[in-house]
Structure formats: structure tokens, C-alpha cells
Amino acid sequence: MNILLLGSGGREHALAWKLAQSALLAGGGTLFAAPGNPGIAAHAQLVALEATDHASVIAFCAANSIGLVVIGPEAPLVDGLADSLRGAGIATFGPSRAAAQLEGSKGFTKDMCARAGIPTGAYVRVSALPEALVALKGFAIPVVIKADGLAAGKGVTVAETREQAEAALCEILSGRFGEAGAEAVIEEFLDGEEASFFALTDGATILPFGSAQDHKRVGEGDTGPNTGGMGAYSPARVLTPEIEAEALTRIIAPTVKAMADAGMPYSGVLYAGLMLTRTGPQLIEYNARFGDPECQVLMMRLDSDLGEILLACAENRLAAIAPPRFSDDTALTIVIAAEGYPGTPAKGGAITGLAEAEADGAKVFHAGTALTEGGTLVAQGGRVLNATARGASVAEAQARAYAAVDLVEFADGFCRRDIGWREVARETPAAG
């Protein structure tokens, strides 16, 4: 079978690395990636396709006998690419445009939770600054302010003062985030520890697909502005089997049912950002695709055939396959970002030392890289590389990942040095 993977970031490099190991490709099958990146090129044949050009993607699939399309990023899903592909009879992993509203509109998700009785924080949707400032008075501080639509992980402010909240509302509703800021959502601040829980569903069957914790803040100690993610580890042991079962029963399953009942069945990976509060897990928000960098640590732990699992999901037969198997090891990934991120990152910095970094079993996924005409690997984005490693404990995985980081030569790069700190701290008493 031939497979087409769409995307170009660290998440897609991790997916390509794992898909390249699939039995689906046995017997001469080819993994294609569009547009891909220099790291993905080691596992897939890169092709020049724009995900926004649905007709061209469909034509490529027809010409190359593509048996499965895997859509990595959220934007093509919200744009309805999965609908176009399925309409052409092509098996596709990823939700429809209607179902992808779970990520594409935070207000949509909040309204769905309210109707289905899914535990989440109180909220108000606003579309104009005067009404927003009035609504804000009904919330205690701290409070969470979010752009309603896709804002590349940067449209969220946890406001510690009322002035910060007002400034965030003004920023969103003044147009900084374009269409993503046509509305804002004011949310109750939930107190607790965050964790990410993943499930695969074909609209009926639900299969848990692991857990992770990521670090959104740019600075050590979880300080500074929010980013797309500076690192992650899996599993998130704070999500005990009992809490996972509660999340499945009270959050994931009611969501899948509500979407099916509304005539927009959800097919793909459902990524639930959870807050573990004193009263149990509550939903912060959904993503309609694998997280980045959470996908990297999930793929490092996955022992099952990813291709076969994603194809079963795309073909609505998850009930017929065995649940995914994951290693008991911890996987931890560290984002190496370009100076200036999450603002304007420095581009063009040369990168070397990746072979040395991977010599001891670590994997360095490319997130924002490019090759010059002379063949030099350079930075091309904010988050540039993901140094990822496994270990019997979080501390061991952390040490191996940072050993890999220290072998990468990238003068314009920086990273946090405390990824996984909460879990390492929890492990320390047991180690003693």
C-alpha cells in the first residue's frame, strides 16, 4: 500500500518515522510526505503539494494509488480536506470539517460540553470589546482568555490581573489573530495539574492512545509566554488508571456520542487537554490531531503498527483490532527553538551534530528545518528540533534526551533545561 502523510513539522516527522516501519508498506509500498522536511526525507518520498489545494491532493492520490492519507496539522482538517478526500473514495485519517470544530472553535466545544454535561470551566463567548469587558466582571482572577479559532497555540492568556485580561481581550478582538479572533472565550481558571489524554475513535469505537504532559511556557519553571510547546513526556503518571477511566466515561465518550447525535461523527485522534482538579478531571480544550510535541513521545513508546491502526480508524473498523500497545518506558522530548521564539525567531542558523546526538538511541525529530542549495541544514522556524529519548524512568529519559541536546551544534538555538521536572520530583522519594 502507498501512504500519503500531510505536514512538515516535528509531529509529522515522528509520524513518518513510525509509519515507515508499518507492514502496510511491505511488498513495495511507498510513504509519501507533503511537503515534509529534511528529517522526514529520510523516511518518505517528499512531494510538492499544498494541502489547501484539495483537487491537487486528490489527483496525486489517484495517480499514485494512495491507500491511506494521514493529515497531520489542524488547519487542513478545519479546512475540510478530509471531507474532500473521503468524497473521492480515499481512506483518510482525520476528522471532517464539521467535527474538527472541536479544535477550530473553542466556543463550539464549550457549547457542546454544556449541552452534554461534560465537566469543564464556566465560560462566556464574546465578539465585541464592550460586551467582553462587561462579561469579564463576572469572573474571578486569574481568568483565561482565548481566541475562538486557530491561533497556532498563541491565542491563550492566563491573566493574573484584571488589566491583563482586558489587554488580552483587546488584542484578540482588535484583529491581531485575524479570523481566529472574530470571537473570544472568557473561561473560568481551573486549579490543578494539566495532562493530555489521547483516544482514537471512528465515531463509534473508542481506543485509548496514551497520555502525556507538555510544557507550554517558554521559560524554565513554567514561566513566560505560552508557546506551541517546549517539551513533553509520556506517560503522564498523574493520569492514573482510575482518572483515565473517569475521563473516558465523563468526557471522551459523551463527546463522541454528542458529535454522532449531531450528525457530525468524529473520526481520528481526539486529544483532550485535561485539568486534574480536586473534583476530578475537567476538559480544558480539544485538539483534532496529535499534539506537537506530544506526538513525538507517543510514537517513541508505541509498539504497535501505526499504519494498521490509522487505517482501521479511517475504515471505521477500530472495533476489530487489538488496542494499541505501548512500552512501559518513559519517553521525553526537548524542543530546541530558535532565538526570539515565541516572537520572531532567528532563521538560517546552521545545524550540525545530529548523527552524534542519535548515536546512543535518541531520536532528533525535525520541526522547523530546511536545506540550503549547498546542502547545509538550517533553522527555518521557531521550534526547530525535538531531541527525544526513552528510559526506564523519567529521570533516565530526561538525562538521555539532554545528552542528545548537548551534542547538537546550533548556535542560534535554546531550550528549557527542566522538561519533566514535576515527574522527576515525584520519582525522587521512591528512588531514595
Side-chain angles (χ1 to χ4, degrees):
M1 175 182 289
N2 294 335
I3 301 173
L4 173 62
L5 170 67
L6 295 171
S8 62
R11 166 184 49 228
E12 287 77 33
H13 189 179
L15 291 172
W17 173 71
K18 200 66 183 178
L19 285 170
Q21 304 168 36
S22 175
L24 294 181
L25 297 173
T30 299
L31 174 62
F32 297 94
N37 65 37
I40 293 173
H43 315 289
Q45 181 177 325
L46 304 190
V47 292
L49 281 176
E50 292 289 341
T52 53
D53 187 345
H54 297 195
S56 291
V57 176
I58 291 168
F60 177 86
C61 292
N64 291 276
S65 302
I66 300 297
L68 172 66
V69 176
V70 178
I71 302 175
E74 61 274 23
L77 296 169
V78 173
D79 186 45
L81 179 57
D83 305 76
S84 298
L85 289 164
R86 289 194 185 100
I90 301 164
T92 303
F93 180 80
S96 67
R97 182 203 299 265
Q101 289 180 92
L102 284 176
E103 177 166 7
S105 170
K106 295 173 180 64
F108 172 90
T109 298
K110 283 290 194 177
D111 289 348
M112 183 272 298
C113 288
R115 291 192 301 270
I118 294 168
T120 189
Y123 73 102
V124 172
R125 300 176 69 170
V126 293
S127 57
L129 189 58
E131 66 167 310
L133 296 178
V134 171
L136 180 62
K137 294 177 181 177
F139 289 81
I141 299 297
V143 65
V144 182
I145 309 297
K146 296 180 179 179
D148 179 68
L150 300 179
K154 298 174 185 175
V156 178
T157 299
V158 179
E160 302 288 346
T161 66
R162 200 158 294 278
E163 290 75 21
Q164 288 178 353
E166 291 174 355
L169 285 166
C170 184
E171 181 178 50
I172 292 169
L173 296 173
S174 66
R176 178 186 169 187
F177 299 105
E179 290 184 7
E183 278 195 3
V185 178
I186 306 172
E187 290 187 15
E188 171 191 8
F189 175 80
L190 298 175
D191 191 26
E193 189 168 343
E194 285 190 47
S196 301
F197 183 58
F198 299 83
L200 299 180
T201 179
D202 53 16
T205 300
I206 301 169
L207 293 181
F209 200 80
S211 65
Q213 276 192 315
D214 75 332
H215 297 261
K216 287 292 187 196
R217 303 281 189 156
V218 72
E220 294 181 15
D222 295 318
T223 59
N226 271 334
T227 71
M230 294 300 293
Y233 63 91
S234 173
R237 291 187 173 86
V238 69
L239 271 176
T240 64
E242 294 77 17
I243 295 175
E244 283 195 6
E246 185 177 358
L248 272 170
T249 301
R250 299 185 63 205
I251 297 174
I252 303 293
T255 298
V256 173
K257 182 179 187 302
M259 296 298 285
D261 289 348
M264 49 184 83
Y266 191 98
S267 175
V269 61
L270 196 54
Y271 161 11
L274 304 177
M275 185 65 78
L276 309 184
T277 73
R278 289 188 297 273
T279 59
Q282 295 200 46
L283 181 70
I284 302 171
E285 63 185 20
Y286 277 126
N287 289 325
R289 36 69 192 183
F290 288 110
D292 189 345
E294 295 92 341
C295 184
Q296 290 82 313
V297 289
L298 290 174
M299 293 304 110
M300 283 290 282
R301 294 184 54 235
L302 181 64
D303 287 335
S304 299
D305 186 315
L306 179 66
E308 292 182 346
I309 293 170
L310 301 190
L311 182 63
C313 185
E315 294 181 341
N316 301 316
R317 51 181 181 83
L318 278 182
I321 69 168
R325 302 184 314 278
F326 289 89
S327 168
D328 291 333
D329 280 357
T330 291
L332 185 141
T333 190
I334 299 152
V335 171
I336 304 175
E339 288 293 345
Y341 182 77
T344 303
K347 292 186 178 181
I351 301 165
T352 60
L354 299 193
E356 292 81 357
E358 294 186 335
D360 196 30
K363 183 70 182 172
V364 181
F365 295 112
H366 293 229
T369 66
L371 286 174
T372 67
E373 290 185 6
T376 300
L377 186 70
V378 298
Q380 185 65 22
R383 294 186 295 168
V384 180
L385 299 167
N386 310 139
T388 313
R390 278 172 46 166
S393 65
V394 181
E396 184 177 301
Q398 183 194 58
R400 289 178 175 174
Y402 277 113
V405 167
D406 292 338
L407 290 168
V408 174
E409 297 290 338
F410 176 32
D412 293 337
F414 76 96
C415 70
R416 283 181 53 170
R417 304 295 304 192
D418 64 346
I419 300 302
W421 66 268
R422 289 186 190 86
E423 197 60 40
V424 170
R426 280 192 280 258
E427 285 179 346
T428 302

